[in-house]
């Protein structure tokens, strides 16, 4: 039997027709699987009536809401290719994706109408569907379209090797690329998530991370639907609202980036009943050991970590709850049917898959597995480079220990070379994260005539009295950091530039540092 995302949805509807499938906090709408299936069918027919056929793209420019979830499965039944767009993007960034993906339909909401209004005139071939009341004159009313659509069942002839989605990379280094995933990739990814996070039909999952991103979509939302569990959708993450919802809806599991878990810990969490929580999932960025311990001791939440990238679905490893302390800082072990190698980086092209380094030695992380992307949309050369000799080349630096656990040190591009010594920002960031009052930290290299690069740390703090001298003394007195790895410059800022998955966009920090240095030189 060829399993597609549409077929696993149909199987769940058949097995759990009267079970609560979806609750959208914003709209206050609750759906059983049978009721939700009817909405999915109507939308699929509405899209078909608009001329959308198998292989056409349908984009969503939405915050977390029921319409995004419904579109996800409507596209899967119709054979259309789902294209969720980051709601944090500015007008020209959205235009770039629309020009590249060429969707036939774009769904958008009131909160993002100002962005769409700036560019919609450039896309006369696109039908814009508005998901709130009083659609602007260039858009059609989503609800009217769906209500007028036929109710007869629709399921186009598809197989597991058909393309299911184009998901644009988060852009930690520049312009995003459209990652093409097939149905079989994500059915496999869903089963891996079910296994590693122990999802059952009794679970109630909370969606607080962005649904346009593959971490929430493929490792949390889809696996819960696959298992017949329930999904509760929060429009945008709010730490107090999250704690309230856990208590009210008896939430058992959810995914959140480390920064979000840290924000929950800053609230008065003790006033809420969080006893329903069985497991927390984090990923997208490493979690400092001190934060892992705080989640367990203060929130009573056992954690599982997923590590990966959009090109792999995303998860390629999981760090189980029993390993969170013993192997704190590790990304875990390779998922079932995945092979990870650490190979010697090649400055002149892709790393050679057979140039494997010994355990404990750092190199580029490459991986093979059933969830790998088909390639980048309309980027043949980039696809060949990324998938060189059948291995996905991640661009991440790490090593495997003797027990097979993966330790991610940094991006190849982020490694700092100071006085001929390699400095991995991750270990400096982990140390600074432990200093009381530090909320967020990012370490980058600053060009230096004498040393080549010096270590520079960007700091977000809740303690307004904190100084660079305080942090300098802390690092000097630490037994965990060699002197050459110590930051020589500290820059305090209000927030970190992060992409959709929670990863810090260090290319933006490098530009900020360049501006600061230029300003300092001009003042001399």
């Amino acid at each position: 039997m060829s399993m597609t995302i549409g077929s696993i949805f149909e199987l769940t509807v058949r097995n759990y027709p009267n079970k609560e499938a979806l609750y959208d906090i914003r709209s206050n709408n609750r759906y059983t699987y049978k009721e939700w299936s009817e909405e999915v069918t109507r939308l699929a027919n509405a899209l078909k009536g608009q001329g959308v056929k198998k292989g056409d793209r349908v984009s969503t420019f939405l915050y977390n809401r029921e319409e995004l979830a419904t579109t996800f499965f409507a596209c899967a039944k119709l054979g259309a290719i789902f294209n969720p767009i980051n709601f944090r993007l500015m007008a020209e960034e959205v235009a770039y994706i629309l020009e590249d993906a060429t969707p036939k339909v774009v769904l958008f909401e009131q909160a993002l109408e100002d962005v769409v209004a700036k560019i919609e005139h450039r896309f006369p071939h696109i039908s814009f569907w508005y998901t709130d009341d009083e659609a602007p004159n260039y858009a059609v009313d989503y609800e009217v379209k769906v209500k007028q659509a036929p109710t007869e069942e629709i399921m186009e002839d598809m197989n597991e090797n058909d393309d299911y989605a184009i998901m644009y990379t988060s852009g930690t280094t520049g312009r995003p690329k459209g990652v093409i995933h097939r149905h079989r990739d994500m059915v496999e990814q869903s089963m891996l998530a079910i296994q590693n996070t122990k999802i059952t039909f009794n679970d109630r999952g909370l969606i607080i991370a962005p649904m346009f991103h593959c971490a929430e979509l493929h490792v949390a939302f889809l696996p819960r639907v696959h298992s017949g569990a329930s999904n509760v959708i929060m429009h945008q993450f709010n730490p107090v609202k999250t704690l309230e919802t856990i208590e009210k809806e008896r939430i058992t599991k959810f995914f959140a980036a480390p920064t979000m878990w840290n924000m929950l810990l800053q609230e008065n969490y003790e006033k809420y009943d969080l006893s329903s929580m069985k497991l927390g999932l984090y990923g997208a960025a490493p979690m400092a050991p001190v934060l892992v311990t705080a989640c367990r001791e203060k929130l009573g939440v056992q954690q599982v970590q997923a590590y990966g990238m959009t090109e792999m679905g995303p998860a390629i490893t999981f760090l189980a709850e029993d390993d969170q302390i013993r192997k704190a800082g590790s990304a875990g072990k390779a998922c079932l049917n995945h092979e990870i190698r650490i190979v010697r980086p090649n400055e002149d092209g892709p790393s050679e898959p057979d140039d494997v380094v010994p355990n404990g030695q750092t190199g580029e992380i490459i991986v093979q597995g059933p969830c790998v992307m088909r390639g980048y949309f309309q980027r043949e050369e980039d696809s060949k480079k990324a998938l060189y000799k059948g291995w996905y080349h991640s661009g991440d630096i790490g090593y495997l220990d003797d027990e097979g656990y993966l330790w991610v040190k940094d991006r190849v591009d982020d490694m700092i070379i100071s006085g001929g010594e390699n400095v991995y920002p991750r270990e400096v960031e982990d140390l600074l994260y432990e200093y009381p009052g530090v909320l967020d930290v990012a370490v980058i290299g600053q060009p230096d005539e004498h040393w080549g690069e010096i270590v520079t740390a960007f700091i977000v703090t809740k303690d307004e009295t904190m100084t660079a001298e305080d942090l300098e003394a802390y690092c000097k007195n630490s037994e965990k950091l060699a002197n050459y790895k110590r930051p020589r410059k500290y820059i305090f800022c209000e927030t970190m530039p992060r992409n959709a998955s929670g990863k810090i966009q260090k290319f933006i920090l490098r530009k900020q540092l360049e501006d600061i240095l230029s300003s300092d030189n001009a003042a001399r």
Side-chain angles (χ1 to χ4, degrees), residues 208-340:
I208 54 175
M211 291 182 74
F212 64 75
H213 191 269
C214 60
E216 175 61 54
L217 204 62
H218 298 154
V219 190
F221 167 71
L222 177 59
R224 287 194 287 262
V225 175
H226 200 165
S227 304
S230 303
N231 278 288
V232 177
I233 301 177
M234 185 177 294
H235 194 237
Q236 294 186 72
F237 172 64
N238 176 288
V240 173
K241 187 75 172 175
T242 297
L243 294 167
E244 291 174 351
T245 304
I246 293 171
E247 179 179 76
K248 182 179 178 182
E249 294 294 327
R250 307 304 295 160
I251 299 299
T252 60
K253 293 171 184 172
F254 64 88
F255 167 81
T259 49
M260 298 161 78
W261 286 106
N262 195 24
M263 290 172 73
L264 293 175
L265 288 163
Q266 308 307 314
E267 301 298 332
N268 187 14
Y269 54 83
E270 293 175 328
K271 66 183 279 192
Y272 301 97
D273 179 4
L274 308 180
S275 61
S276 61
M277 281 294 299
K278 295 179 180 177
L279 198 69
L281 176 65
Y282 69 94
M287 186 183 283
V290 66
L291 187 53
V292 172
T293 303
C295 286
R296 178 175 291 190
E297 293 180 353
K298 297 179 179 180
L299 300 179
V301 177
Q302 298 273 6
Q303 295 278 2
V304 170
Q305 178 189 1
Y307 159 75
M309 54 287 299
T310 304
E311 289 85 346
M312 289 300 301
I316 65 169
T317 67
F318 284 92
L319 183 69
E321 57 267 45
D322 293 341
D323 286 330
Q324 289 292 314
I325 301 302
R326 186 176 76 90
K327 291 287 186 177
S330 168
K333 289 194 173 189
C335 297
L336 287 177
N337 302 325
H338 284 65
E339 181 183 356
I340 293 173

Side-chain angles (χ1 to χ4, degrees), residues 105-118:
V105 173
V106 174
L107 280 67
F108 70 106
E109 64 177 279
Q110 184 179 24
L112 300 168
E113 199 273 326
D114 286 350
V115 177
V116 177
K118 294 175 183 176

